[in-house]
Amino acid sequence: MLPEIVSPDAMPTDLAGLGLYEAVLLVNVPARALPVAAMAALPAYVRDLGRGLLMIGGEESFGVGGYGD
């Protein structure tokens, strides 16, 4: 399966939509750029569906990206 690049604001916002993907890679994406519902669904995506989540930091993410808590 080929990777699909989706802008943060267009990513699926529920578990059913996220479940269509084997993994989610967030590359230099600040938390504020993701839909609130998508952020809420990501823990269940990993925990319940056993899918992958990879976050790669950059100037827009991590320290100032809003992922604390």
Side-chain angles (χ1 to χ4, degrees):
M1 177 175 263
L2 294 175
E4 180 179 345
I5 298 173
V6 177
S7 66
D9 61 336
M11 76 178 284
T13 58
D14 61 8
L15 199 53
L18 286 170
L20 299 174
Y21 298 90
E22 294 296 319
V24 171
L25 282 71
L26 300 174
V27 180
N28 196 27
V29 177
R32 66 185 174 277
L34 297 174
V36 173
M39 281 287 282
L42 282 172
Y45 170 78
V46 173
R47 181 188 60 241
D48 300 340
L49 299 182
R51 303 297 168 84
L53 175 63
L54 175 66
M55 299 173 71
I56 300 173
E59 293 179 10
E60 299 295 322
S61 62
F62 291 135
V64 296
Y67 288 100
D69 297 329

